[in-house]
Amino acid sequence: MIEKVLEYLNTGRGEEMTEEMSRCSHEQSLLAIKQTMELNNQYHTPEEIVRIMSEITGEELDSSFRLFLPFYTDFGRNIHIGKNVFINSGCHFQDQGGIYIGDNALIGHNVIFATIDHDLNPYDRHNHYAPIRVGNRVWIGSGAIITKGVCIGDGAVIAAGAVVTKDVEENTIVGGVPAKPIKKIETEVPSVGVEFL
């Protein structure tokens, strides 16, 4: 049933789930809370963190993944993480709509990814889902908030405390509330032998 729920969530549809799907989604959220409580409340080696996060996401994470605890998610099964990703402490992933993080991304302290919002009509406040996509070599500064449907291009930098409500072009620094472009990043491909590509 979780596969059916994920298929539903990944379409971005706004109508209500069936009762069975809603129950499954709620059970998955309870499981994610249990798993993250266990993750956050004792010491784990980096290898153990990779294993536990693989259980939470339902996908085998690369051994290069690094996470500083605590970490919070309210669903878990719609998080997709590339290679050589670092997530600093205190991050919150509301991932029902899907969170996709590319290779070599750096996620700062207390970053929030929010893939859900609600209808503005106060008599029809059902959920709207849309994925957040983070490209390769992106750096997201501490305390940033990334809202549903946002795509962040390769090499971009999100300034600390920014609230990102619109797509970010590759190799661009954005900041502010709401985030706006600050400058383009001049890129230079490193010489051969540098691992961080």
Side-chain angles (χ1 to χ4, degrees), residues 36-101:
T36 53
M37 292 271 301
E38 292 169 353
L39 177 67
N40 291 330
N41 287 308
Q42 61 181 331
Y43 173 77
H44 299 283
T45 66
E47 294 77 18
E48 289 170 336
I49 290 173
V50 170
R51 178 184 56 76
I52 296 167
M53 282 295 292
S54 295
E55 292 171 3
I56 290 170
T57 64
E59 297 180 357
E60 181 138 1
L61 298 185
D62 190 79
S63 61
S64 61
F65 173 72
R66 290 293 177 261
L67 169 68
F68 284 176
L69 301 173
F71 170 80
Y72 305 96
T73 180
D74 58 2
F75 192 71
R77 288 297 295 275
N78 216 358
I79 299 172
H80 313 275
I81 299 173
K83 295 179 180 178
N84 199 34
V85 169
F86 172 68
I87 300 173
N88 217 323
S89 62
C91 290
H92 293 250
F93 283 27
Q94 182 194 53
D95 65 291
Q96 286 92 331
I99 296 172
Y100 300 81
I101 300 175

Side-chain angles (χ1 to χ4, degrees), residues 180-196:
K180 294 184 178 1
I182 295 172
K183 66 180 278 188
K184 290 293 280 185
I185 299 169
E186 298 296 325
T187 60
E188 183 177 324
V189 177
S191 59
V192 176
V194 176
E195 291 183 12
F196 193 82

Side-chain angles (χ1 to χ4, degrees), residues 150-167:
V150 166
C151 294
I152 301 174
D154 291 350
V157 174
I158 310 302
V163 177
V164 183
T165 61
K166 296 181 179 175
D167 290 354

